[in-house]
Structure formats: structure tokens, C-alpha cells
């Protein structure tokens, strides 16, 4: 069908990203926002905007009737859910279709099949995709959990059937721990997903987290766009991603791609999606789950493979063939060019157990230069609250080799200035200098092993110097900054003193 206007049912950087893609495709974009987000960049960037309601997500970004009403009232033909919020809710996809709207994503049936982790495991086994040994149905109780764990052999992982994002997961190392872990996982799953069903699978020792990006159109074509290395995580939340992985050879990439396209085909998948695998040190890989949406880390794939995934989503939703060339059919894959790394810049204090931070972004200087990309949903003057995810922006660096990409990322992180609240920036700077990371010796336990190097509190002198710089920048720009009622705030120009002091603080405090 012909699309002219798209409702972007999200906020933050992904909303800005989708709005840009719409405009490049010649489409109008309609933003939605909650009351605290009224001054957010995505609201200004869109062609129109609709207020959903107060801050709580249940009354704004998760309110399906309000989103459908907003789409209808503004004459939209399609809805793009972004990631998070309702992006993997089959009920939302169904509601869009019932309202005569195109859902820019997979069919509701595919979302349901892959959203139920035990059903997904059954589908993958039937399609010949290797899965981690475990149960194919939810556990009835902790007693069954103990029996199945003993059969698999400890350690095991208890996981929510409707899970994702690390919610409802517990690592169990001994039989005596099963009861408590089962109840804790069940409570967390029920709170996060409204479903307390739990299953158990064998815990793999020190695997890498490798995922394959797939695209599928309405004409039955499925293409794999290589792998992303997502092993640097904290509590199952990704912190740094890169493509390609140093652990994946061309032959292994081919096998992973074949498994990923088979997985997508098994559920009749359409649009952009990601198949996640665990890769063992011996080279065996197992299906973990499928994310039936665009991923946070999609830019590294775009830079390495030269594909605009969000624009492809829009084209596929309109019934057009994807513009990805070079491979087709089962296991179709493209070949990587260069290397890309993404750092998630979050409003969290990495030296205080990544405690979420709030406050006003008093000053923001964005890095640029060759091979640097900045995807953000905030600007100077915006207030960061605890209502939503702490992700502020994604900093991505591309280079002809991994070494060059790391060098560019280190330089870009050093140029980045954020004043007003702590962020993950200094953590990322340390990782870019860490010997294990530089050698590519990473797996999902990396942060546990490297914590004394990358998460130790900076020296007091460095902290005091950084605070002095922050105060100077705020004082210098205070006379120029418009009130918060303005849609944007122009950052002040920093002078030579603040530049020198900032770089000195970074060297002393963060290395």
C-alpha cells in the first residue's frame, strides 16, 4: 500500500532515528509524547505531535487505545513501534491491523511465537536450529525445577517464558538454591511481563553473546546481515556492541546466518529482526532468543553493511522489495566492510553500581569527525528523569579495521562533554584502553573479570578537577542559556581554559 504518514510510537533516540528515516523516505512522521517529554527533540523533529498523557508509561507510551486514537486523528497509515515499550507486544500489532493501520514490524503471530521462550525453543528445534539443553515447557513448580536442574547438571539458568532484557532470570549453582531462585524469578517475571511462567536451561560457561541481523520482506526473501558481538553486558543488559566479531570466521558466519534465516523462516517473519546465539569457546552455538523488532545496536550493522535498516522496515511495510543486494535465498548473507563499535551513553554512575542519575543536561558537546556517528534523543536543557530508560545516546565509531575503530571511539569519547549528571562515558573510555578488550578476549563474564580495572572509582583529584570544569562550564553558559520553556538550548562555546582542564581531568581521573 501507499504510505504517506507514520505514527512513531516511541520516544528518545529511537524516535528521532525513525523520524529521520521517514523524512528520507518522503514520509511525514507524527510523534507522541508524555508530559515530561514535551520539550524532547523527537517532538520538535516530527511533522506533528500528540500528547498522550502523564509520565507513567502505562498512561502514555504503553496506552494502546491512546496510540491508535493518535494515529487515526492525525491521518496516519502506519505505526512504527521502535524498540522497547510495545514493540514486541502482539496485542499492539493486532490492534494496529484491526484499526486499518500498517504495523511496521513482523506479524503478530511471529511476535507471539518468538515471545514465548518455550514455544520459540520448540519451533527452533523443529527447524533444525541448535538450542541450549533445557525444558520445552514451563515448570509446574520448584520441585519440577529441582528435578530438571539435576537432570541437566548444575549450573543452570531459570528464565521467564515471556522474558527479555534480563528480567526473570536467575543463575543457580546448586540444588539448595533452586527453591529461592525459582520464587524470585517468578515474582520478577510476573511484575515485568504479567506472566510468572519459568523454564530452565543449562548454563553455558563463558560463552560469547553473538546475534545475527535479519531482514525479511513480504515476497519471502530473507537476508542475514552478519553478526554483532554483544558480550559486554551488565545484568544481561548490553553496554558495548561491535560488528563483526573477532571470534567469528567466514565459515562460522555462514553457519550462523543459515541458522538465523531458518529461524526467521520458521515463524513467517517479516521486517527487521535479530536472532541471538550463545557461542561457546569450542565454536558451538545455540539459539538464545529472537528480538522481533529493531535493535538498539542496529547502527553497527548499518555502518559495516551499508544498509539503512529503518528505511528498509518502512519499505517492507509498504509492500516494496528490500533494497539489499548481493545475496538471496536461505542463508543469504552479505559481507562486512570494516569494523564498527557502539557505546551506549546512559545516565548512570558507573562507579556507583551504575545507579541511574537524574537532572538537567546543562551542557552537551557532541563528538564528530571521520567515522563517528551520534544517535541521540536529548540536547542541552533537557531534563532526565527516572520515568524511562536511562539511555541518552549511542556513540558509534567505524574504521577500516577494529584497531582504527577503537582509536576513533577513544578519541570521540574524549571529545564528548556532558555536564549536569553522571554518565557511562568514563566507563567506556576505560574499556577502550583495557588489554582484554583490545585483544578481543571477551565473553559474557568480561565485566566481572575486568571490574577492578574499568569500574574502580577515579582518584579524588580527578573527580575534583572534573567538578571544577563542570562548574566553570555551567557558570560560563548560564547567561546565554534560554529558559527550559524554550524548545532547545544552545550550548555555550567553551574557551581554551575549560578545554585544557577537561582533558586534564579525563587523563587523571579516568585512565
Amino acid at each position: 500500500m501507499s504510505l504517506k504518514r507514520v505514527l512513531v510510537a516511541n520516544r528518545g533516540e529511537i524516535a528521532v532515528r525513525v523520524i529521520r528515516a521517514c523524512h528520507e523516505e518522503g514520509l511525514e512522521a507524527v510523534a507522541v509524547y508524555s508530559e515530561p517529554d514535551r520539550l524532547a527533540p523527537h517532538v520538535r523533529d516530527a511533522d506533528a505531535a500528540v500528547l498522550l498523557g502523564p509520565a507513567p508509561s502505562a498512561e502514555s507510551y504503553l496506552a494502546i487505545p491512546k496510540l491508535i486514537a493518535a494515529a487515526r486523528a492525525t491521518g496516519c497509515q502506519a505505526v512504527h513501534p521502535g524498540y522497547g515499550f510495545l514493540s514486541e507486544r502482539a496485542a499492539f500489532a493486532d490492534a494496529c491491523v484491526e484499526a486499518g493501520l500498517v504495523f511496521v514490524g513482523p506479524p503478530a503471530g511471529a511476535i507471539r511465537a518468538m515471545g514465548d521462550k518455550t514455544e520459540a525453543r520448540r519451533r527452533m528445534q523443529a527447524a533444525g536450529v541448535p538450542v541450549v539443553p533445557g525444558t520445552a515447557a514451563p515448570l509446574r513448580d520448584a520441585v519440577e525445577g529441582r528435578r530438571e536442574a539435576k537432570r541437566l547438571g548444575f549450573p543452570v539458568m531459570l528464565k521467564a517464558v515471556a522474558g527479555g532484557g534480563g528480567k526473570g532470570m536467575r543463575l543457580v549453582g546448586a540444588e539448595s538454591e533452586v527453591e529461592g531462585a525459582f520464587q524470585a524469578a517468578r515474582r520478577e517475571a510476573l511484575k515485568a511481563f504479567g506472566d510468572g511462567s519459568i523454564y530452565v536451561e543449562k548454563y553455558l560457561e563463558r560463552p560469547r553473546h553473538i546475534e545475527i541481523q535479519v531482514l525479511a520482506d513480504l515476497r519471502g526473501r530473507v537476508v542475514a546481515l552478519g553478526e554483532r558481538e554483544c558480550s559486554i553486558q551488565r545484568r544481561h543488559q548490553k553496554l558495548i556492541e561491535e560488528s563483526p566479531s573477532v571470534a567469528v570466521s567466514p565459515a562460522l558466519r555462514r553457519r550462523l546466518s543459515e541458522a538465523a534465516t531458518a529461524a526467521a523462516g520458521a515463524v513467517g517473519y517479516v521486517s527487521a529482526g535479530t536472532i541471538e546465539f550463545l557461542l561457546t569457546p569450542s565454536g558451538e552455538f545455540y539459539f538464545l532468543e529472537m528480538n522481533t523488532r529493531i535493535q538498539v545496536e542496529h547502527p553497527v550493522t548499518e555502518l559495516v553493511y551499508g544498509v539503512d535498516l529503518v528505511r528498509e522496515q518502512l519499505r517492507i511495510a509498504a509492500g516494496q522489495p528490500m533494497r539489499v543486494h548481493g545475496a538471496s535465498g536461505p542463508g543469504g548473507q552479505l559481507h562486512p566492510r570494516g569494523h564498527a563499535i557502539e557505546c551506549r551513553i546512559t545516565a548512570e554512575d558507573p562507579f556507583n553500581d551504575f545507579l541511574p542519575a537524574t537532572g538537567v543536561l546543562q551542557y552537551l558537546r557532541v563528538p564528530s569527525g571521520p567515522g563517528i556517528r551520534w544517535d541521540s534523543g536529548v540536547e542541552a536543557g533537557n531534563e532526565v528523569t527516572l520515568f524511562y530508560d536511562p539511555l541518552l545516546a549511542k556513540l558509534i565509531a567505524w574504521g577500516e579495521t577494529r584497531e582504527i575503530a577503537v582509536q576513533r571511539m577513544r578519541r570521540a569519547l574524549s571529545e564528548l562533554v556532558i555536564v549536569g549528571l553522571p554518565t557511562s562515558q568514563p566507563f567506556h573510555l576505560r574499556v577502550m584502553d583495557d588489554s582484554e578488550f583490545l585483544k578481543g578476549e571477551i565473553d559474557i563474564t568480561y565485566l566481572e573479570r575486568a571490574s577492578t580495572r574499568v569500574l574502580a572509582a577515579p582518584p579524588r583529584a580527578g573527580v575534583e578537577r572534573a567538578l571544577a570544569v563542570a562548574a566553570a562550564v555551567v557558570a560560563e553558559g548560564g547567561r546565554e542559556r534560554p529558559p527550559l520553556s524554550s524548545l532547545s538550548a544552545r550550548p555555550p562555546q567553551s574557551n581554551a581554559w575549560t578545554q585544557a582542564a577537561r582533558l586534564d581531568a579525563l587523563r587523571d581521573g579516568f585512565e
Side-chain angles (χ1 to χ4, degrees):
M1 65 174 296
S2 175
L3 301 183
K4 295 182 179 179
R5 181 172 268 210
V6 179
L7 185 86
V8 183
N10 217 296
R11 65 178 299 279
E13 75 85 16
I14 189 59
V16 173
R17 172 74 181 89
V18 174
I19 290 168
R20 287 172 173 166
C22 286
H23 290 162
E24 290 176 9
E25 278 292 301
L27 305 174
E28 293 183 346
V30 176
V32 292
Y33 63 99
S34 65
E35 291 172 358
D37 281 343
R38 67 191 184 283
L39 304 181
H42 79 277
V43 177
R44 182 188 62 245
D45 291 350
D47 298 282
V50 177
L51 174 64
L52 293 175
S57 299
E59 301 177 52
S60 52
Y61 298 106
L62 291 176
I64 294 178
K66 290 184 178 180
L67 291 165
I68 298 298
R72 283 176 161 171
T74 54
C76 292
Q77 295 84 38
V79 176
H80 195 303
Y83 55 68
F85 290 129
L86 295 168
S87 62
E88 294 184 280
R89 300 282 185 89
F92 186 44
D94 278 335
C96 289
V97 173
E98 291 170 4
L101 301 165
V102 174
F103 182 75
V104 185
I111 298 175
R112 287 192 178 91
M114 287 305 200
D116 183 321
K117 305 307 179 186
T118 52
E119 172 64 18
R121 287 168 58 86
R122 289 192 291 270
R123 296 274 191 117
M124 295 304 98
Q125 287 176 316
V129 178
V131 301
V132 180
T135 57
L139 299 169
R140 289 188 292 272
D141 49 35
V143 174
E144 184 182 15
R146 188 180 300 111
R147 183 171 64 251
E148 290 295 332
K150 290 174 65 177
R151 177 181 66 83
L152 293 168
F154 292 96
V156 298
M157 184 71 81
L158 296 177
K159 303 177 74 172
V161 167
K167 302 293 186 182
M169 296 176 61
R170 292 294 185 278
L171 176 62
V172 183
E175 184 177 351
S176 60
E177 301 172 10
V178 173
E179 175 73 30
F182 178 86
Q183 299 302 336
R186 188 183 185 94
R187 286 193 300 271
E188 187 172 271
L190 189 61
K191 180 179 178 180
F193 313 111
D195 182 350
S197 302
I198 300 295
Y199 72 101
V200 61
E201 66 182 24
K202 178 66 179 174
Y203 178 74
L204 302 179
E205 299 285 352
R206 295 188 60 172
R208 289 176 181 259
H209 185 125
I210 303 292
E211 59 188 32
I212 299 289
Q213 176 72 58
V214 296
L215 269 178
D217 61 24
L218 292 166
R219 306 185 182 198
R221 185 174 177 226
V222 183
V223 173
L225 290 94
E227 80 280 0
R228 294 186 288 256
E229 171 76 69
C230 304
S231 297
I232 299 183
Q233 305 176 2
R234 176 183 175 274
R235 296 177 184 171
H236 309 289
Q237 293 287 339
K238 301 164 189 172
L239 302 173
I240 298 174
E241 303 96 353
E242 56 184 305
S243 179
S245 168
V246 299
V248 176
S249 65
L252 179 55
R253 181 175 300 119
R254 189 177 305 111
R255 290 170 53 212
L256 285 163
S257 297
E258 290 172 352
T261 53
V267 294
Y269 199 81
V270 174
S271 194
T274 298
I275 313 294
E276 301 193 340
F277 297 97
L278 293 178
L279 176 66
T280 69
S282 63
E284 298 175 299
F285 63 86
Y286 300 94
F287 171 81
L288 179 62
E289 64 181 0
M290 183 176 191
N291 295 129
T292 53
R293 52 173 168 77
I294 194 74
Q295 290 279 89
V296 177
E297 58 271 22
H298 74 270
V300 294
T301 295
E302 293 185 325
L303 292 178
V304 169
Y305 287 88
V307 176
D308 188 321
L309 291 169
V310 181
R311 290 186 68 176
E312 292 302 316
Q313 281 189 299
L314 294 168
R315 286 179 58 84
I316 290 169
Q320 301 175 48
M322 68 176 84
R323 286 174 290 203
V324 179
H325 303 292
S328 62
Q333 60 173 324
L334 302 179
H335 301 287
R337 187 184 74 86
H339 199 97
I341 301 173
E342 174 180 292
C343 290
R344 300 191 186 192
I345 308 300
T346 59
E348 296 174 305
D349 185 351
F351 306 127
N352 188 19
D353 199 31
F354 284 88
L355 186 71
T358 62
V360 175
L361 285 172
Q362 300 288 353
Y363 179 82
L364 175 63
R365 181 193 180 198
V366 175
S368 60
I372 298 302
R373 171 171 163 177
W374 174 262
D375 283 18
S376 175
V378 297
E379 59 190 9
N382 288 163
E383 183 177 6
V384 178
T385 72
L386 289 177
F387 290 115
Y388 311 114
D389 186 273
L391 181 67
L392 300 176
K394 302 178 311 198
L395 180 59
I396 311 101
W398 178 90
E400 292 83 356
T401 65
R402 185 174 189 263
E403 181 182 13
I404 293 174
V406 171
Q407 291 169 346
R408 284 178 169 170
M409 178 60 78
R410 186 186 296 116
R411 185 263 300 168
L413 285 165
S414 297
E415 289 181 0
L416 174 63
V417 182
I418 301 176
V419 176
L421 69 169
T423 73
S424 59
Q425 175 193 13
F427 158 76
H428 292 298
L429 266 170
R430 286 184 175 182
V431 173
M432 292 304 116
D433 283 326
D434 185 64
S435 59
E436 285 190 47
F437 173 78
L438 293 175
K439 290 184 287 187
E441 296 175 352
I442 55 178
D443 56 58
I444 63 172
T445 68
Y446 166 80
L447 202 56
E448 298 171 21
R449 302 193 316 275
S451 61
T452 56
R453 301 191 301 272
V454 300
L455 293 178
R460 185 64 192 171
V463 173
E464 291 173 348
R465 196 172 288 114
L467 290 174
V469 172
V473 170
V474 172
E476 180 183 356
R479 293 185 298 274
E480 297 177 18
R481 188 177 301 106
L484 288 180
S485 58
S486 171
L487 280 178
S488 65
R490 182 181 302 277
Q493 298 296 316
S494 56
N495 58 32
W497 181 86
T498 55
Q499 288 293 338
R502 177 181 63 79
L503 292 174
D504 189 35
L506 289 173
R507 281 194 296 268
D508 289 355
F510 302 147
E511 290 187 355

